[in-house]
Coordinates of all heavy atoms in Angstrom, one line a residue:
L71 N 6.4 11.3 -0.1 CA 5.2 11.6 -0.9 C 5.4 12.8 -1.7 O 5.8 13.9 -1.1 CB 4.0 11.7 0.1 CG 2.7 12.1 -0.6 CD1 2.2 11.0 -1.5 CD2 1.7 12.4 0.5
T72 N 5.1 12.8 -3.0 CA 5.2 13.9 -3.8 C 3.9 14.2 -4.5 O 3.0 13.3 -4.6 CB 6.2 13.8 -5.0 OG1 5.8 12.7 -5.8 CG2 7.6 13.4 -4.4
V73 N 3.6 15.4 -4.8 CA 2.4 15.8 -5.5 C 2.3 15.1 -6.9 O 1.3 14.6 -7.2 CB 2.4 17.3 -5.8 CG1 1.2 17.7 -6.7 CG2 2.2 18.1 -4.4
E74 N 3.4 14.9 -7.5 CA 3.4 14.2 -8.8 C 3.0 12.7 -8.7 O 2.3 12.2 -9.5 CB 4.8 14.2 -9.5 CG 4.9 13.6 -10.8 CD 3.8 14.1 -11.8 OE1 3.4 15.3 -11.8 OE2 3.3 13.2 -12.6
A75 N 3.4 12.1 -7.6 CA 3.0 10.7 -7.3 C 1.5 10.6 -7.2 O 0.9 9.7 -7.8 CB 3.7 10.1 -6.1
V76 N 0.9 11.5 -6.5 CA -0.6 11.5 -6.4 C -1.2 11.9 -7.7 O -2.1 11.2 -8.2 CB -1.0 12.6 -5.3 CG1 -2.5 12.6 -5.2 CG2 -0.4 12.2 -4.0
R77 N -0.7 12.9 -8.4 CA -1.3 13.3 -9.7 C -1.3 12.2 -10.7 O -2.2 12.0 -11.5 CB -0.5 14.5 -10.2 CG -1.1 15.1 -11.5 CD -0.3 16.3 -12.0 NE -0.6 17.4 -11.1 CZ 0.3 18.2 -10.5 NH1 1.6 17.9 -10.6 NH2 -0.1 19.2 -9.7
S78 N -0.2 11.4 -10.7 CA -0.1 10.3 -11.8 C -0.7 9.0 -11.3 O -0.6 8.0 -12.1 CB 1.4 10.1 -12.1 OG 2.1 9.7 -11.0
S79 N -1.4 9.0 -10.2 CA -2.1 7.7 -9.8 C -3.6 7.8 -10.0 O -4.2 8.8 -9.9 CB -1.8 7.5 -8.3 OG -0.4 7.3 -8.1
D80 N -4.1 6.6 -10.4 CA -5.6 6.6 -10.6 C -6.3 6.5 -9.2 O -7.4 7.0 -9.0 CB -6.0 5.3 -11.4 CG -5.4 5.4 -12.8 OD1 -5.6 6.5 -13.5 OD2 -4.7 4.5 -13.3
A81 N -5.7 5.7 -8.3 CA -6.3 5.5 -7.0 C -5.2 5.8 -5.9 O -4.0 5.4 -6.1 CB -6.8 4.1 -6.8
V82 N -5.6 6.4 -4.9 CA -4.7 6.7 -3.7 C -5.3 6.1 -2.5 O -6.4 6.4 -2.1 CB -4.5 8.3 -3.5 CG1 -3.6 8.6 -2.4 CG2 -4.0 8.9 -4.8
I83 N -4.6 5.2 -1.9 CA -5.0 4.5 -0.7 C -4.2 5.0 0.5 O -3.0 4.8 0.6 CB -4.9 3.0 -0.8 CG1 -5.8 2.5 -2.0 CG2 -5.3 2.3 0.5 CD1 -5.7 1.1 -2.3
T84 N -4.9 5.8 1.3 CA -4.3 6.3 2.5 C -4.4 5.4 3.7 O -5.5 4.8 3.8 CB -4.8 7.8 2.8 OG1 -6.2 7.7 3.1 CG2 -4.5 8.7 1.7
M85 N -3.4 5.4 4.5 CA -3.4 4.5 5.7 C -2.9 5.3 6.9 O -1.9 4.9 7.5 CB -2.5 3.3 5.4 CG -2.9 2.5 4.2 SD -1.6 1.3 3.7 CE -2.6 0.1 2.9
G86 N -3.6 6.4 7.2 CA -3.2 7.1 8.4 C -2.3 8.3 8.1 O -1.6 8.7 9.0

Side-chain angles (χ1 to χ4, degrees):
L71 176 64
T72 64
V73 170
E74 184 50 39
V76 176
R77 183 179 288 126
S78 61
S79 297
D80 296 308
V82 178
I83 299 175
T84 59
M85 302 168 153

